[in-house]
Amino acid sequence: LKDFIDVVARDYRFFHWSLAFPDVYGKEGKGGFDVVLGNPPWEKVKLAEKEFFSSKYPAIEAASGVERKRLIAALEEGDESDRSLWADFQEALAHAEATAHFLNDSGRYPLCGRGDVNTYAVFAELMRSLVAPTGRLGVILPTGIATDDTTKAFFQAVAQGELVSLYDFENREGVFPAVHKSYKFCLLTLSGRERPVRRAEFAFFCHNVTDLDNPDRRFALESEEISLLNPNTGTCPIFRSRREAEITLGVYRRVPVLIREGDEAGNPWGVRFRRLFDMTNDSGLFHGREQLEGLAFTLDGNVFRRGDEIYLPLLESKMVHQFDHRWGSYDGKDIANVPVKAKEDPATAGLPRYWVGAAEVSSRLQVSGWSHDWFLGFRGIARVVDERTVISTIVPRVAVGNSLPLMLHNRGPCQIALLGASLSSFALDFVARQKIGGSNLNFFLVKQLPVLPPSTYDERASWNQDVTIADWLIPRVLELTYTAWDLAGLAKELGYDGPPFRFDEMRRALLRAELDACFFHLYGIKREDVDYIMDTFPIVARHDVATFGEYLTKRLVLERYDAMMKATATQEPYECPLDPPLGDPRAAQELPGVPRHV
């Protein structure tokens, strides 16, 4: 047994700080270091197969999914070299699993020893425990220590009086040459528990330490303000400037989060998230075009049919955009944008990479209790550097991949459409950009977005007291959404039985400007802040300038905002600038056709 203990101790290099530094910890072991500084390793504890085999067996590294697993398993039955590599892999796997088991289950790391542990997180927790009650900790870590769901317990703990500062940097200037230039890291400073800090300093998106000299880049937040912004996780918001922090805090003081966990009344929309099909685990259910055509299926629009058998298209996130479920179509190599000219035909439907049996889709939806012919979904990939961040839209009842999670809930069709409209507003998108540190719009982030409650839409529109906000919004949402026959079910549930509406870019721009101006008012955002917010979407501006010679979107939004503000002040009903007017039959398609593919 002693020999085994000696081997384990050597292999895992256990280290006891109080034994190694008795003069620092004292007889009772309650001391600590006055100053702790470090830059711990940033690595996942879980063994990465591709990395392990990258130099040892390139064919395994190049393989993916099931094929890689097959090649690894074959090593055990291979020649002497293969068996030796298999043994090395098993040893590395066991070491990684044992380390993860210790970090997760020993109780040594209660805050960060969770899930697929990254070494930087447990080092952060370790270093915090080494600081004397009146000491200081300074450490370089990925910014995820403050923004990720897996480390939320750690950040919640230090935000209650220990956090001195967090300065976030992008590695654009190659401070760490071996790390990708888009990677984000931070300088985190903590205080000992007996030196409490009331307000912590923050700075984000810095590229050089000289950026910290800019007073607009640095701002302070109290722990209560952090809790206001992220009540479920207590994680850190991400602001580029003091002004953005002030605007966002103002929104959260007026508007609740979508789902407040631990509160019986904290989910007024009754939202539940659902990933319908996993692109990896469910791949055995997916069928390509050649395969189905080889089985004598016929393509009808973007649906394959053979007698009573039906295969529905599998939508991926890149195929949709705000108020547009026909954004992309598979061209045989990749998913490309559908031309506007094609979308002017209401029969146009985008082609997917794969199709899934309609019976399988219905089975999964039956479990979810969903009865509508359409869904509300959102892109799971969301970057603050893209044209828009939160990209949500209504799609037909088809197969949907995990990159396009669904928001199912127990409200009526009008409420679901209104929720989708609010998620597509610039007002909400601006706030979302302050909260997304990576490239994934995780459920925990969506839950903490500021979303107007359903009761808001029952109120009278201040710019037109003759109608409720819902009655004012629904015709606009309907016209923007119902541009193709495959969403006829939605139109009928919203009370419209006519043909789809024309995909007219300028008319759609005016409709969207009205919606955005409406939501800016509903979120209580001042006119000067609307002007500022619109300038934080540079890609939208560049696209407009290239297409129209001006930042058209901003001008239209501000014009509609001003018109609504004037109507509210004078009590004269707001006048819609659309021609033909909203609800006029001329706005619908003149020659509705039969659904077909691009």
Side-chain angles (χ1 to χ4, degrees):
L1 179 60
K2 182 180 181 302
D3 291 341
F4 174 75
I5 292 174
D6 288 340
V7 170
V8 172
R10 183 197 66 214
D11 288 348
Y12 290 92
R13 296 181 294 175
F14 296 115
F15 188 85
H16 300 274
W17 289 85
S18 59
L19 297 180
F21 299 97
D23 53 330
V24 172
Y25 283 88
K27 293 181 179 180
E28 297 182 359
K30 295 182 178 180
F33 293 90
D34 294 327
V35 177
V36 177
L37 299 173
N39 176 17
W42 310 349
E43 299 173 358
K44 287 186 177 181
V45 174
K46 184 177 180 180
L47 184 66
E49 294 173 348
K50 292 186 69 171
E51 291 183 14
F52 181 86
F53 289 104
S54 61
S55 59
K56 304 177 179 68
Y57 207 124
I60 293 179
E61 180 199 19
S64 60
V66 175
E67 177 61 16
R68 187 190 307 133
K69 298 290 186 186
R70 187 191 66 77
L71 291 174
I72 293 174
L75 292 174
E76 188 177 15
E77 305 299 329
D79 58 24
E80 183 178 350
S81 176
D82 285 349
R83 293 195 300 274
S84 176
L85 182 57
W86 165 262
D88 290 344
F89 175 68
Q90 294 303 310
E91 183 179 349
L93 193 63
H95 191 281
E97 290 177 349
T99 302
H101 173 67
F102 172 77
L103 297 177
N104 286 321
D105 302 321
S106 67
R108 181 69 181 82
Y109 302 98
L111 301 179
C112 296
R114 304 179 179 194
D116 289 339
V117 177
N118 193 303
T119 53
Y120 83 78
V122 289
F123 266 100
E125 186 169 356
L126 167 66
M127 295 169 75
R128 174 183 178 240
S129 71
L130 301 180
V131 177
T134 58
R136 284 286 176 105
L137 163 66
V139 60
I140 303 173
L141 300 166
T143 305
I145 192 68
T147 60
D148 290 354
D149 190 49
T150 53
T151 54
K152 64 183 179 183
F154 176 84
F155 189 77
Q156 284 175 344
V158 302
Q160 304 302 314
E162 296 176 42
L163 182 61
V164 177
S165 62
L166 187 151
Y167 301 136
D168 163 73
F169 290 81
E170 287 181 315
N171 195 41
R172 189 173 297 181
E173 296 188 8
V175 175
F176 295 104
V179 177
H180 194 279
K181 291 192 174 183
S182 67
Y183 203 83
K184 293 170 67 66
F185 65 92
C186 69
L187 307 182
L188 178 70
T189 304
L190 302 181
S191 178
R193 294 171 181 79
E194 293 181 8
R195 292 178 63 185
V197 180
R198 188 174 67 87
R199 289 167 64 84
E201 273 203 352
F202 297 88
F204 290 93
F205 298 98
C206 299
H207 297 146
N208 193 289
V209 291
T210 56
D211 292 336
L212 299 177
D213 296 330
N214 184 342
D216 191 50
R217 297 290 293 271
R218 292 170 64 173
F219 55 90
L221 290 176
E222 297 185 9
S223 59
E224 293 78 10
E225 291 174 321
I226 296 173
S227 298
L228 174 69
L229 295 164
N230 287 319
N232 298 337
T233 61
T235 48
C236 187
I238 301 171
F239 300 116
R240 292 180 180 271
S241 69
R242 184 186 304 273
R243 184 170 185 180
E244 294 186 1
E246 291 170 351
I247 295 172
T248 305
L249 281 167
V251 169
Y252 273 94
R253 291 188 179 107
R254 295 184 293 270
V255 181
V257 294
L258 176 64
I259 300 176
R260 189 180 185 95
E261 296 175 343
D263 184 346
E264 290 184 4
N267 186 3
W269 287 99
V271 167
R272 60 190 190 278
F273 301 104
R274 178 69 195 272
R275 290 187 173 98
L276 204 57
F277 289 95
D278 186 276
M279 297 301 289
T280 300
N281 296 334
D282 292 323
S283 59
L285 301 172
F286 304 163
H287 299 266
R289 180 170 183 168
E290 290 185 4
Q291 181 182 6
L292 289 172
E293 288 178 338
L295 295 172
F297 280 85
T298 302
L299 187 62
D300 178 12
N302 60 2
V303 174
F304 268 106
R305 302 177 187 276
R306 187 180 66 182
D308 294 334
E309 288 185 84
I310 298 174
Y311 274 77
L312 299 173
L314 175 68
L315 285 186
E316 300 176 51
S317 63
K318 289 193 294 184
M319 297 179 68
V320 305
H321 211 283
Q322 293 172 334
F323 298 109
D324 189 357
H325 67 287
R326 302 181 295 164
W327 176 261
S329 181
Y330 185 59
D331 62 7
K333 295 182 180 179
D334 202 355
I335 295 175
N337 289 354
V338 176
V340 172
K341 192 68 177 175
K343 285 187 281 193
E344 291 174 356
D345 182 349
T348 295
L351 283 178
R353 300 175 193 266
Y354 306 107
W355 284 260
V356 179
E360 182 66 33
V361 175
S362 295
S363 174
R364 298 198 177 198
L365 290 174
Q366 187 174 10
V367 173
S368 300
W370 189 255
S371 59
H372 302 282
D373 289 338
W374 44 277
F375 315 111
L376 175 63
F378 62 92
R379 286 192 186 186
I381 301 297
R383 293 177 288 256
V384 298
V385 295
D386 290 343
E387 181 178 17
R388 298 296 295 268
T389 300
V390 178
I391 297 176
S392 173
T393 195
I394 289 174
V395 301
R397 184 184 173 114
V398 294
V400 180
N402 57 276
S403 63
L404 192 64
L406 303 178
M407 294 179 72
L408 308 178
H409 60 81
N410 52 17
R411 291 277 172 172
C414 288
Q415 285 84 358
I416 301 173
L418 292 171
L419 175 60
S422 70
L423 294 174
S424 296
S425 68
F426 277 111
L428 181 134
D429 216 16
F430 169 78
V431 174
R433 291 181 172 222
Q434 322 305 321
K435 312 190 79 171
I436 297 175
S439 60
N440 294 314
L441 188 57
N442 296 310
F443 293 163
F444 79 89
L445 290 170
V446 179
K447 289 179 181 179
Q448 297 177 123
L449 292 176
V451 177
L452 298 160
S455 58
T456 298
Y457 301 100
D458 296 330
E459 300 171 5
R460 293 282 165 178
S462 64
W463 53 91
N464 188 341
Q465 291 287 332
D466 295 334
V467 297
T468 65
I469 295 170
D471 289 339
W472 190 88
L473 281 169
I474 285 297
R476 292 164 170 82
V477 176
L478 172 64
E479 183 170 331
L480 283 167
T481 307
Y482 183 38
T483 59
W485 284 106
D486 51 11
L487 280 178
L490 166 70
K492 289 180 180 179
E493 288 196 63
L494 295 180
Y496 176 77
D497 200 22
F501 293 92
R502 289 187 289 115
F503 200 96
D504 182 318
E505 282 198 288
M506 184 53 70
R507 184 177 175 89
R508 290 172 63 81
L510 282 166
L511 283 166
R512 295 203 59 176
E514 287 193 315
L515 292 188
D516 281 309
C518 166
F519 283 108
F520 276 129
H521 278 291
L522 295 179
Y523 275 86
I525 298 175
K526 298 178 181 178
R527 207 272 188 188
E528 58 267 28
D529 289 333
V530 175
D531 190 311
Y532 175 85
I533 287 171
M534 294 305 298
D535 285 335
T536 64
F537 291 85
I539 300 178
V540 178
R542 287 201 298 270
H543 177 269
D544 277 9
V545 171
T547 305
F548 306 108
E550 63 166 324
Y551 190 179
L552 179 68
T553 302
K554 177 181 177 179
R555 176 169 68 80
L556 293 178
V557 169
L558 289 175
E559 286 177 354
R560 295 304 95 210
Y561 184 95
D562 291 342
M564 291 178 185
M565 187 164 57
K566 181 180 178 181
T568 299
T570 63
Q571 292 298 291
E572 292 290 332
Y574 167 84
E575 292 186 7
C576 178
L578 293 171
D579 183 26
L582 195 70
D584 192 304
R586 290 175 294 170
Q589 298 283 355
E590 296 179 4
L591 298 173
V594 178
R596 63 174 176 78
H597 63 82
V598 175

